[in-house]
Amino acid sequence: MIAGLNDLPARIPSDPVALMLRLFPAAVFWQSGRTKVDGLTIRDSTWFLFEHEYALPLIPSDWAAVMATVAEHLLPMLLVLGLMTRLSAMGLVAMTAVIQIFVYPGAWVTHGLWAATLLAVAVHGPGRWSLDHLLPLEARAR
């Protein structure tokens, strides 16, 4: 009886799960990116935050503001489309690590959830519901 219940999750189709693993972290980063811009212009508040609150030790604040803003728009779009998925997921893992180490070290639970989800995408791939699979840029399951 219990063994049968334990087998139920294995019957869940993997493609919708892979899509969810891509969509939900993409939404987090996309929403963050949208707070940084007004139209196509980076907001004054974004420049201020990168200079004072998000200041990184080796990257000038204006470079960091532009790189983060572009990354938070481009990488989530690629994740949603399932295009260059593994690379996009690893880019967001790197961004998560920077946020965790240099900006908000106390938010390790949230960042851990983001990283675990993105690493699952990087390791297991985007699934069949992706442009990587359709084009084919992703190795087909054997």
Side-chain angles (χ1 to χ4, degrees), residues 65-140:
V66 172
M67 290 186 332
T69 302
V70 170
E72 285 183 330
H73 285 89
L74 178 63
L75 298 177
M77 284 193 298
L78 292 172
L79 273 185
V80 168
L81 295 171
L83 183 61
M84 298 189 323
T85 308
R86 293 176 193 257
L87 183 62
S88 300
M90 288 309 296
L92 291 174
V93 167
M95 190 170 188
T96 300
V98 169
I99 295 166
Q100 173 59 39
I101 294 165
F102 296 110
V103 182
Y104 296 121
W108 59 271
V109 172
T110 298
H111 300 147
L113 288 169
W114 297 351
T117 303
L118 292 163
L119 285 169
V121 172
V123 169
H124 296 289
R128 291 182 296 177
W129 296 353
S130 67
L131 289 178
D132 285 343
H133 181 79
L134 293 174
L135 289 179
L137 299 174
E138 181 72 19
R140 304 265 183 200

